Amino acid sequence: MNKILENTFIDGPGSRMAFFLQGCNMRCLYCHNPETQRLCNHCGECVRTCPTGALSFDGGAVHYDQARCVQCDQCLEVCPNFSSPKCTVLDDTSVVELVKKNQDFLDGITFSGGECSLQHRFVCAVFQALKRETKITCFLDTNGFMEHSALEALCEAADGFMFDLKAFDNRKHKRLTGLSNDLVFRNLAYVSAKGLLYEIRTVIVEGFTDDASEISQLAAYVRDLNAYTILRLIPFRPLGVKSWMQNLKPCGRETVVNLHRAASEIMGNRARVNLSGF
Ligand code: SF4
Ligand code: SF4
């Protein structure tokens, strides 16, 4: 587990507890949580940068002492492995108990990452227990790149999916992530037909994914897919990015407002945009 947000309003509908799992099958150039991509290989590189002694190296492994950590994130900056020494290991029972303690303040929980479908058995176990024992909803935020058996199991257990579509254009998707989006689109269609595709999200990077005709094609695709899925445009921010994209300027308000207007003309108020921070 990389991180837990106890109460968030941007990771699905309503008030949610969000769990960010460690490990990802994509290497997105604009990833703003690159420390979630890989599991720690205990190289020890981060230990000497820690200013408070929260990290130590013992028996060939890095140990993390949360009580001494001041959350300066210097360890994340120096990690050459897109990882974090601050990850914790939690079993499904611990997660369920944590959620149950907070359920009066929550509409639901969301598993994100990293790529949460890589741990689909764990995710399903948590969702199944919460369905039995609470009334809150269970969502996933996924890049959609998973084999059918994992998707089928998650569809049985989840109340909704948010798909992070990295690019509508397959060449751009490959350049951004290293992978084709063919499987993502097959999975999108499957989840849509199950009535579980709450939202498709896509990041607008100026000079890369800000092509008006591509966003219009995406809006038409979502409009024709079903009558309920939201399309959300998210402006790119370079904060946390570790690739050459860290040198790109943030997406401008005018760019994203214009793209949102174009998408709204095609699919009405199911087109949304994140404008917080402008
Ligand atoms: S977090 Fe990164 S730098 Fe630290 S031990 Fe793990 S892989 Fe090495
Ligand atoms: S964030 Fe990392 S470097 Fe900073 S105090 Fe915590 S463990 Fe040490």
Side-chain angles (χ1 to χ4, degrees):
M1 182 80 65
N2 182 281
K3 186 170 64 177
I4 300 171
L5 289 182
E6 293 207 350
N7 206 337
T8 158
F9 289 86
I10 59 168
D11 294 290
S15 160
R16 313 194 74 76
M17 188 176 281
F19 296 88
F20 295 81
L21 303 189
Q22 189 70 14
C24 192
N25 47 12
M26 289 189 181
R27 299 285 178 261
C28 300
L29 292 173
Y30 60 51
C31 180
H32 64 276
N33 291 319
E35 72 279 3
T36 64
Q37 289 184 6
R38 296 187 183 139
L39 301 182
C40 172
N41 61 14
H42 298 281
C43 69
E45 199 61 37
C46 55
V47 174
R48 62 179 149 262
T49 68
C50 178
T52 65
L55 300 177
S56 56
F57 198 67
D58 187 24
V62 170
H63 298 274
Y64 171 58
D65 180 356
Q66 190 174 7
R68 299 176 79 171
C69 178
V70 292
Q71 303 299 343
C72 66
D73 285 349
Q74 288 182 42
C75 50
L76 307 185
E77 281 162 33
V78 300
C79 175
N81 187 44
F82 298 90
S83 189
S84 165
K86 299 191 282 179
C87 292
T88 50
V89 177
L90 285 177
D91 63 14
D92 52 335
T93 310
S94 316
V95 171
V96 170
E97 288 310 311
L98 178 63
V99 176
K100 281 167 66 180
K101 255 194 258 165
N102 291 276
Q103 61 180 312
D104 291 347
F105 311 103
L106 296 172
D107 293 304
I109 70 157
T110 299
F111 274 111
S112 184
E115 173 47 39
C116 58
S117 68
L118 292 176
Q119 299 183 50
H120 58 91
R121 288 186 186 86
F122 167 73
V123 172
C124 285
V126 172
F127 284 179
Q128 283 157 358
L130 289 175
K131 289 266 185 71
R132 280 194 306 271
E133 298 171 35
T134 74
K135 290 196 166 72
I136 66 167
T137 60
C138 298
F139 276 59
L140 295 106
D141 183 355
T142 173
N143 63 28
F145 196 88
M146 69 188 95
E147 60 186 36
H148 187 72
S149 57
L151 185 67
E152 217 175 4
L154 287 166
C155 282
E156 286 295 312
D159 296 302
F161 286 67
M162 288 165 287
F163 268 58
D164 295 315
L165 181 64
K166 308 300 179 181
F168 186 72
D169 179 277
N170 201 13
R171 280 170 307 172
K172 285 183 190 168
H173 195 278
K174 283 181 190 159
R175 201 170 149 214
L176 265 171
T177 69
L179 295 167
S180 161
N181 63 16
D182 290 343
L183 177 61
V184 176
F185 276 107
R186 280 204 297 281
N187 288 342
L188 269 173
Y190 184 83
V191 174
S192 167
K194 295 261 177 199
L196 294 170
L197 187 58
Y198 173 73
E199 186 169 286
I200 296 175
R201 306 168 152 205
T202 199
V203 175
I204 305 298
V205 185
E206 284 196 44
F208 204 82
T209 51
D210 63 339
D211 184 90
S213 97
E214 195 179 322
I215 295 299
S216 295
Q217 286 176 58
L218 172 57
Y221 165 80
V222 182
R223 177 198 62 199
D224 298 342
L225 191 61
N226 61 47
Y228 68 91
T229 298
I230 293 166
L231 171 63
R232 186 174 297 280
L233 306 182
I234 300 175
F236 166 77
R237 293 276 178 274
L239 189 70
V241 173
K242 276 193 169 175
S243 78
W244 58 266
M245 280 196 170
Q246 66 185 248
N247 299 317
L248 295 182
K249 63 180 171 72
C251 179
R253 181 186 171 92
E254 199 183 337
T255 301
V256 78
V257 165
N258 287 340
L259 291 173
H260 176 237
R261 188 178 302 122
S264 300
E265 281 166 11
I266 293 165
M267 56 184 298
N269 67 2
R270 286 202 283 142
R272 309 278 168 87
V273 62
N274 278 15
L275 286 176
S276 57
F278 279 110

